[in-house]
Amino acid sequence: MWKTRLIEKYSDTHIKPIRVFFAIFPNKFVQDQLAHQAGILESICGGRKIKSQYIHLTLLFLGNVSAHRIETLQQAMRNISAEKFELSLEEIRCWKQSQIVYIQAKQFPVELFSLVDSLKNVLSEAGFSFDKRAYKPHITLIRKATHQARIDLAKPIKWHVNQWSLVQSRQTDHGIDYIPLNQWCLK
């Protein structure tokens, strides 16, 4: 299904580049918990909560990639070997300058950083450009927040991560839409 959708959407080589990133998306149970937190935070912090289906943890942002290179990008991902891990999300924080309220772990598992490092290495070897900034894992819950938040949850949200995805970010008349292009399982 993934590959068919990709071929249908990107077989024309005259299509402009597409904006892509690698991410992990929560299962429905975790998604509901995070969406609930976003709803609470929206009333406290103002701004706009992230739609539940768009809540994710970005692994690596590539930006614009030529449509004809998407297949090469996906082939390169076959060289990634990473392990499953669990996130324990318990700290709600904000970045005042960017007006973002997010949730994070007090301590992220080494497997997450290993996955990101593997992505960077494989992409570099395959000749892809990507965001080189230091990786700061977080899950955005609110954008354009008018008030700050600093909350430690009494009960952390546990998120068992067993797969990661390549996603297109596409601007529409109704805002940003995320289109899954492919996904891979963790060991």
Side-chain angles (χ1 to χ4, degrees):
M1 179 184 111
W2 291 86
K3 194 170 190 172
T4 304
R5 185 172 181 185
L6 178 69
I7 291 168
E8 289 170 3
K9 295 184 80 59
Y10 304 110
S11 59
D12 183 355
T13 58
H14 301 305
I15 295 175
K16 66 180 181 176
I18 59 173
R19 192 171 178 86
V20 295
F21 64 97
F22 289 103
I24 55 175
F25 285 84
N27 62 37
K28 181 72 172 132
F29 180 71
V30 173
Q31 182 185 63
D32 289 347
Q33 291 178 74
L34 293 169
H36 177 75
Q37 286 299 320
I40 293 169
L41 290 166
E42 187 178 39
S43 64
I44 296 169
C45 302
R48 177 181 47 82
K49 69 181 175 182
I50 301 298
K51 293 177 183 176
S52 63
Q53 70 269 27
Y54 294 150
I55 294 174
H56 69 279
L57 173 66
T58 299
L59 298 170
L60 190 64
F61 181 75
L62 279 80
N64 290 330
V65 173
S66 297
H68 73 276
R69 294 205 65 209
I70 295 296
E71 185 65 33
T72 304
L73 177 62
Q74 292 185 84
Q75 294 289 334
M77 295 304 101
R78 293 182 180 164
N79 296 323
I80 302 287
S81 177
E83 296 180 20
K84 296 176 185 178
F85 55 90
E86 180 180 87
L87 297 173
S88 181
L89 305 171
E90 53 207 330
E91 295 180 339
I92 295 171
R93 302 291 186 261
C94 66
W95 287 315
K96 185 177 180 181
Q97 189 173 16
S98 58
Q99 299 175 298
I100 288 177
V101 177
Y102 61 92
I103 190 167
Q104 68 178 9
K106 286 184 182 175
Q107 184 170 355
F108 286 96
V110 68
E111 293 87 356
L112 170 61
F113 294 101
S114 294
L115 174 58
V116 171
D117 288 344
S118 294
L119 285 168
K120 289 179 178 180
N121 291 335
V122 167
L123 291 170
S124 290
E125 289 172 10
F128 286 92
S129 299
F130 51 86
D131 186 356
K132 304 272 198 247
R133 290 180 285 183
Y135 183 55
K136 296 180 183 175
H138 66 282
I139 296 98
T140 300
L141 297 176
I142 301 286
R143 292 195 181 277
K144 299 186 181 199
T146 55
H147 296 87
Q148 297 182 35
R150 185 172 178 89
I151 302 166
D152 292 334
L153 299 180
K155 183 179 178 190
I157 296 172
K158 300 288 186 178
W159 178 358
H160 299 279
V161 179
N162 58 15
Q163 65 185 13
W164 51 285
S165 303
L166 173 64
V167 181
Q168 176 187 358
S169 174
R170 184 178 59 159
Q171 183 66 46
T172 70
D173 293 340
H174 305 288
I176 298 290
D177 190 20
Y178 291 158
I179 301 164
L181 301 179
N182 207 336
Q183 63 187 8
W184 297 269
C185 292
L186 297 168
K187 294 184 194 179

